[in-house]
Amino acid sequence: MIPFLLVIQDEDLRNRLEEIYIKYKKDVYWVAKNILKDAHESEDVVQEAIIKISAVIEKNMDLECNKIKGLFVIIVRNLSINIYNSRKRTSNIAYNEDLEYITDDFSIEEEIIRLDEAKFIADALAKVNPTYADILTLKYYHEYSDSEISKLLNIKEGNVRARLMRARRAVKDIIEKNQKEADTLG
Amino acid sequence: MDKNNDIEQKELLEKAFFSYVGYHHTQNILSELEDHIEEIQAIEIPETLDKKVYKSIQEIENSKKSKVKKLYDKMLRTRAHKAAAIFIILSISMAVLTVSVEAFRVRVFNIVLEQKEKYLEIRMDEDYGRTDEVKLRGHYVPGYIPEGFELESTAGSGDTATLFYINENNQQILFDQSPNKGTTYQLDSEDAIREDITINGYKGISLTKGERVTLFWSGEETSFVIIADIEYEELIKMAESITKNK
């Protein structure tokens, strides 16, 4: 029975990948081209993103929901940024993703967080650094492991952890800054 | 509340909060795309991109099929180590679980897996090393095999047996037989057309989903399943020709 079950699964995977590509190819190609300004590189990125999605697609079954579209865009955007950075031979984000310099000092008990602040934080975090918002989304919204994120974004696992810590620290800064502003106004 | 529980609850709260941030970030991404909808719709996708992506998808499919074939060939050649067999079957079954929307229950190589709400229940018969090639003597075999198909391999133990037929186009027919007592099948019935059938006087059902046809019926002591992507009439003819090989 095993081969047949897997044939069913393979066909389903192929159909789902094709469906995802057909549905969202214009969006992701636009995203890649906006960053890379190069048609061939943008094509390569979209192609690579489909391969990466194939490895995690089981966790994203509902192709109609916006979650899979968001995931596709996040992968394409991050792969495009990687290429852009390597092309420039310098990081436009310019952060040293070295674990030894980083401590995770976010603690929810020290922060007064209201749930309705989540949208404000998402907006602000994307302005600070979109890759911070992307990695928090992959980790906590899509619930991927560090290893899975590392493979999806073509970055080392250590850099995944480092970027996550920086993202959390950025969230802390945003919350504190917002609270200070509220106190000043109050 | 003890310290460990306290930490656990805070971690859960953080995860929930960051998940909600991630949700809004996703909404922002979609909103940004919506703001540029005209520009995006006007984009011409190069033919080369379509070709590259479809080629990749094909390669992914081929790669997975190749891995499965190798795995299965290996399982047929050697009696798998008990722990390894459980691992392989569990891995595969978990993968199948993710494509099912309903509670999942499948018997694979004498192992019963049942997806409960929060856990996977596994039950095993005592002789679960059903990976050896079986001799067809004493088992049911079809007298009629659709044109071009040949017996590729067999697997089973005791009264259970699975026969695989294949043709040169790599189409496969699976024929499975198991004792009625204690047998549980989970058939892919989602969006399938279900019909009642009678095979040699025994009642059963057929499920047609796209090109895939599944036949299930029970005899006096044995239940049968045939699955294939071939014509319905051919499969019925094959089912009706099944007799015990003495």
Side-chain angles (χ1 to χ4, degrees):
Chain A
M1 191 74 80
I2 284 176
F4 267 78
L5 291 171
L6 284 155
V7 168
I8 291 168
Q9 196 193 350
D10 285 345
E11 286 182 356
D12 195 34
L13 174 66
R14 185 186 63 206
N15 293 339
R16 279 177 292 143
L17 288 173
E18 286 180 358
E19 194 178 334
I20 290 168
Y21 172 66
I22 291 164
K23 265 178 187 290
Y24 308 126
K25 62 181 176 182
K26 286 196 171 191
D27 298 281
V28 292
Y29 185 64
W30 178 81
V31 169
K33 216 171 166 196
N34 253 5
I35 296 167
L36 295 167
K37 317 288 184 202
D38 180 278
H40 290 296
E41 283 183 330
S42 302
E43 285 180 25
D44 289 345
V45 162
V46 174
Q47 182 190 18
E48 192 178 356
I50 276 286
I51 295 168
K52 293 194 175 293
I53 282 179
S54 75
V56 294
I57 195 166
E58 288 85 355
K59 289 187 177 178
N60 297 278
M61 289 307 300
D62 185 3
L63 306 187
E64 294 300 326
C65 84
N66 288 329
K67 205 170 176 180
I68 190 83
K69 185 177 178 181
L71 173 67
F72 202 179
V73 171
I74 285 174
I75 294 171
V76 165
R77 178 160 69 191
N78 281 266
L79 294 179
S80 302
I81 289 171
N82 291 352
I83 292 175
Y84 179 86
N85 285 344
S86 66
R87 192 202 289 163
K88 291 275 181 186
R89 298 235 170 246
T90 176
S91 168
N92 66 331
I93 302 157
Y95 46 75
N96 176 11
E97 292 183 327
D98 190 340
L99 270 179
E100 62 183 302
Y101 298 113
I102 298 169
T103 52
D104 190 7
D105 55 359
F106 181 88
S107 169
I108 203 159
E109 63 182 334
E110 292 171 10
E111 315 296 341
I112 302 163
I113 298 173
R114 297 200 333 254
L115 210 53
D116 58 6
E117 279 186 327
K119 178 164 173 40
F120 164 76
I121 289 168
D123 295 348
L125 191 60
K127 281 176 193 158
V128 172
N129 190 328
T131 64
Y132 287 175
D134 286 346
I135 206 155
L136 278 185
T137 302
L138 292 175
K139 178 74 181 176
Y140 296 104
Y141 184 48
H142 290 280
E143 296 182 329
Y144 293 134
S145 67
D146 293 352
S147 167
E148 285 173 318
I149 295 171
S150 148
K151 286 169 190 155
L152 284 174
L153 304 187
N154 279 354
I155 58 177
K156 289 178 183 169
E157 234 179 288
N159 284 346
V160 171
R161 289 193 292 276
R163 198 179 292 183
L164 274 168
M165 286 181 194
R166 289 183 180 276
R168 290 154 63 90
R169 185 187 285 176
V171 169
K172 177 186 167 83
D173 291 345
I174 290 164
I175 294 167
E176 286 176 355
K177 192 178 167 195
N178 191 40
Q179 282 170 351
K180 271 183 196 169
E181 284 175 4
D183 291 344
T184 309
L185 289 171
Chain B
M1 190 182 290
D2 62 63
K3 197 179 174 184
N4 284 344
N5 198 15
D6 195 28
I7 291 168
E8 196 179 313
Q9 292 305 312
K10 279 170 190 164
E11 282 176 358
L12 281 174
L13 195 58
E14 275 184 28
K15 279 181 187 171
F17 177 72
F18 284 131
S19 172
Y20 201 41
V21 171
Y23 164 78
H24 282 294
H25 178 57
T26 301
Q27 295 305 311
N28 288 344
I29 288 171
L30 300 174
S31 174
E32 193 188 333
L33 292 174
E34 203 58 38
D35 291 344
H36 296 88
I37 187 78
E38 287 181 10
E39 200 182 330
I40 291 169
Q41 288 305 322
I43 274 191
E44 289 280 333
I45 296 294
E47 271 184 39
T48 48
L49 175 57
D50 282 342
K51 280 181 187 169
K52 279 180 185 176
V53 170
Y54 289 126
K55 191 181 168 201
S56 288
I57 291 172
Q58 187 62 52
E59 283 170 0
I60 291 164
E61 189 188 22
N62 291 345
S63 159
K64 280 189 178 278
K65 278 183 179 169
S66 168
K67 280 179 192 166
V68 170
K69 180 106 177 59
K70 279 180 191 166
L71 169 68
Y72 192 68
D73 286 348
K74 193 178 173 186
M75 287 173 71
L76 284 176
R77 277 199 305 272
T78 58
R79 179 180 287 274
H81 184 275
K82 187 184 280 190
I86 292 171
F87 174 76
I88 290 161
I89 293 160
L90 270 180
S91 301
I92 293 167
S93 301
M94 288 300 286
V96 175
L97 271 176
T98 62
V99 299
S100 173
V101 293
E102 295 175 8
F104 175 87
R105 200 174 188 212
V106 64
R107 191 178 67 84
V108 185
F109 289 155
N110 287 2
I111 294 182
V112 178
L113 305 176
E114 188 167 359
Q115 179 66 33
K116 303 282 189 181
E117 192 177 350
K118 290 187 176 176
Y119 61 92
L120 179 70
E121 184 179 275
I122 306 163
R123 293 198 300 276
M124 281 171 282
D125 290 351
E126 277 193 4
D127 72 340
Y128 65 100
R130 191 178 175 236
T131 56
D132 285 343
E133 207 164 325
V134 293
K135 289 176 182 172
L136 296 178
R137 200 172 180 181
H139 285 102
Y140 289 88
V141 292
Y144 172 78
I145 299 163
E147 197 176 335
F149 283 87
E150 286 181 356
L151 183 65
E152 187 207 29
S153 57
T154 60
S157 72
D159 292 329
T160 65
T162 307
L163 281 63
F164 298 95
Y165 297 85
I166 194 163
N167 69 6
E168 60 183 11
N169 298 324
N170 215 24
Q171 283 180 293
Q172 296 175 330
I173 301 172
L174 174 147
F175 169 50
D176 187 86
Q177 55 195 284
S178 297
N180 289 341
K181 197 177 178 183
T183 299
T184 305
Y185 285 100
Q186 175 76 28
L187 302 174
D188 182 18
S189 62
E190 193 183 9
D191 300 327
I193 299 165
R194 179 182 162 167
E195 292 171 273
D196 292 328
I197 55 170
T198 304
I199 304 290
N200 298 332
Y202 296 107
K203 287 187 175 178
I205 57 162
S206 73
L207 297 167
T208 308
K209 184 176 179 180
E211 290 183 353
R212 172 157 295 119
V213 180
T214 303
L215 305 180
F216 170 81
W217 75 102
S218 286
E220 293 286 349
E221 297 172 345
T222 309
S223 295
F224 305 96
V225 172
I226 302 183
I227 308 174
D229 289 346
I230 62 168
E231 284 178 36
Y232 183 88
E233 286 75 13
E234 284 287 284
L235 224 52
I236 292 284
K237 202 171 164 184
M238 181 178 173
E240 286 176 337
S241 74
I242 283 163
T243 55
K244 202 162 195 173
N245 190 29
K246 292 176 181 173

